[in-house]
Amino acid sequence: MSALDEAADVEALDDWRISYLGRRGELTQILRGLGSLPAEERPAAGAAANALRRTLEEAMSSREDALKRAAAESDPVDAIDVTLPGWPVPRGGIHPTTRIVREICAAFASMGFSVVEGPEIEWDHYNFEMLNIPKDHPARDMWDTLWIDYEDENGERPMLLRTHTSPMQARTMEATDPPVRVVVPGKCYRYEATDPRHEWHFYQIEGLAVDRGITMTDLKGTLYEFARRVFGVDRKVRFRCDYFPFVEPGVDMSIDCFLCDGGCRVCSDTGWIEIMGAGMVHPKVLAGVGYDPNIYTGFAFGMGPERISMLKHGIEDIRLFYSNDLRFLRQFS
Ligand code: PHE
């Protein structure tokens, strides 16, 4: 064993092997000589010699490993075959939701809006109360809510996962004096069964502009410009009455269907596609945050970016955005 430890390279190791384990090696001689021992000593001597051989062979092979490793480390050119092709490094992409959110926010940023964000876990106070949706008001049915399992001292559950980004209207106005011009991208949640057009979590982009003298014309002009930037300069827009408790008047905005002229599945044969809700900020909402509704007016809007992306790219199922199927993500990122 000490001779083995002294073998400093592969050749020395081979010499060692020949002198102990080789055909004329010392151990081999002993094994050959077994036959000349008295019969009763043979089994014990044989077993001992074989055990010794195994020990020596194992020691030799670990010494051989150690020598090879040391050789490879001191000579990396031998250790790494630089002619082998490398592993491909797959490149990540930007998620389709992130892409459309950035695109929409950029369109508004270029019109003077700043981008702000708010909490996904929200108080009932901001998600509903401050938006003119009191407790037990039937309008609450418009938003199927996921409540946080937390009770206050009155036994009420005041926390929820925000059902829309509109609470940021109240938060933004509370925190700043007018004029206000913001867009708010963010994740929202609803207690809903999913289908190709509904997810239980999704994004919204909220918009809010408040100042002296803002009118419905500003709302229409701004959103028309947005539609042209995101869907092309030929777009036509249409506004119809709609109801949201925090705006008055409230509207929904549609763009003319850019996939057909006359009728198709996407516009359900109407030629129009609804893309967002909007309206003039309700005086009660302004008063609630301490803005004087006799001096200030404003408009607000809210849209679903996944839906906008679906329209732009012909995506048929909103659930594809969050099911982590790389075949989909690669196609749209
Ligand atoms: N928050 C509304 C919704 O989720 C959308 C909206 C925002 C409507 C702002 C009007 C003004 O349905």
Side-chain angles (χ1 to χ4, degrees):
M1 293 297 254
S2 60
L4 183 65
D5 283 342
E6 276 156 30
D9 53 31
V10 182
E11 286 87 64
L13 190 68
D14 205 43
D15 292 343
W16 180 89
R17 183 186 62 78
I18 291 165
S19 61
Y20 293 96
L21 301 169
R23 253 192 310 137
R24 287 168 212 278
E26 290 182 39
L27 183 59
T28 317
Q29 299 301 330
I30 293 172
L31 285 161
R32 289 230 180 95
L34 284 178
S36 57
L37 288 177
E40 66 275 14
E41 289 177 20
R42 262 181 243 159
N50 275 320
L52 177 59
R53 183 168 60 188
R54 241 174 288 123
T55 307
L56 291 182
E57 280 171 351
E58 276 162 23
M60 182 180 77
S61 104
S62 72
R63 180 77 185 144
E64 190 177 8
D65 285 350
L67 286 173
K68 281 190 181 154
R69 225 178 301 124
E73 272 160 24
S74 65
D75 189 0
V77 173
D78 268 358
I80 301 168
D81 181 352
V82 293
T83 65
L84 284 173
W87 292 105
V89 180
R91 233 174 56 170
I94 295 175
H95 191 276
T97 302
T98 308
R99 274 183 187 251
I100 192 72
V101 166
R102 287 185 185 174
E103 185 183 342
I104 294 168
C105 289
F108 284 105
S110 72
M111 291 188 264
F113 286 75
S114 355
V115 181
V116 297
E117 291 180 309
E120 287 173 29
I121 297 178
E122 188 53 280
W123 300 105
D124 181 312
H125 176 74
Y126 287 108
N127 197 84
F128 291 128
E129 304 274 334
M130 293 289 280
L131 297 172
N132 192 29
I133 314 168
K135 281 204 176 47
D136 307 318
H137 192 284
R140 287 207 177 191
D141 293 348
M142 289 170 75
W143 295 277
D144 298 302
T145 307
L146 286 156
W147 296 92
I148 301 286
D149 197 5
Y150 156 76
E151 278 186 11
D152 63 15
E153 57 279 8
N154 307 320
E156 291 187 16
R157 286 182 306 171
M159 260 188 208
L160 46 76
L161 293 177
R162 67 176 171 196
T163 60
H164 50 181
T165 43
S166 302
M168 274 304 283
Q169 289 187 32
R171 282 181 177 274
T172 307
M173 289 189 281
E174 258 185 8
T176 36
D177 287 331
V180 168
R181 244 186 317 182
V182 292
V183 282
V184 188
K187 217 168 173 189
C188 305
Y189 303 82
R190 290 194 194 167
Y191 183 58
E192 251 180 323
T194 68
D195 67 31
R197 294 162 60 88
H198 296 91
E199 253 294 7
W200 67 274
H201 61 115
F202 52 91
Y203 274 70
Q204 278 195 347
I205 296 179
E206 192 81 10
L208 175 71
V210 183
D211 201 353
R212 291 170 191 262
I214 290 198
T215 69
M216 189 85 185
T217 335
D218 298 305
L219 179 159
K220 289 170 87 173
T222 307
L223 296 182
Y224 176 43
E225 185 55 29
F226 156 76
R228 286 161 46 92
R229 289 189 193 197
V230 173
F231 288 102
V233 291
D234 300 330
R235 282 300 51 80
K236 292 184 192 123
V237 293
R238 179 187 73 177
F239 294 90
R240 290 189 306 180
C241 291
D242 201 350
Y243 172 70
F244 303 95
F246 35 91
V247 287
E248 179 57 35
V251 295
D252 67 54
M253 172 174 152
S254 301
I255 53 175
D256 61 322
C257 186
F258 47 88
L259 297 171
C260 69
D261 32 28
C264 70
R265 221 154 60 87
V266 175
C267 66
S268 357
D269 293 328
T270 63
W272 294 97
I273 303 167
E274 227 176 276
I275 60 166
M276 70 174 102
M280 299 305 291
V281 181
H282 198 292
K284 279 194 183 169
V285 174
L286 294 173
V289 297
Y291 285 15
D292 184 345
N294 294 310
I295 301 176
Y296 295 104
T297 50
F299 66 83
F301 56 87
M303 70 186 97
E306 293 95 339
R307 200 166 136 60
I308 304 236
S309 173
M310 288 167 77
L311 290 169
K312 276 190 75 151
H313 303 294
I315 299 165
E316 303 219 317
D317 193 325
I318 191 172
R319 293 169 295 188
L320 283 167
F321 284 85
Y322 305 111
S323 51
N324 289 333
D325 185 332
L326 285 178
R327 291 166 301 183
F328 167 76
L329 295 173
R330 286 207 182 102
Q331 208 178 332
F332 293 103
S333 67

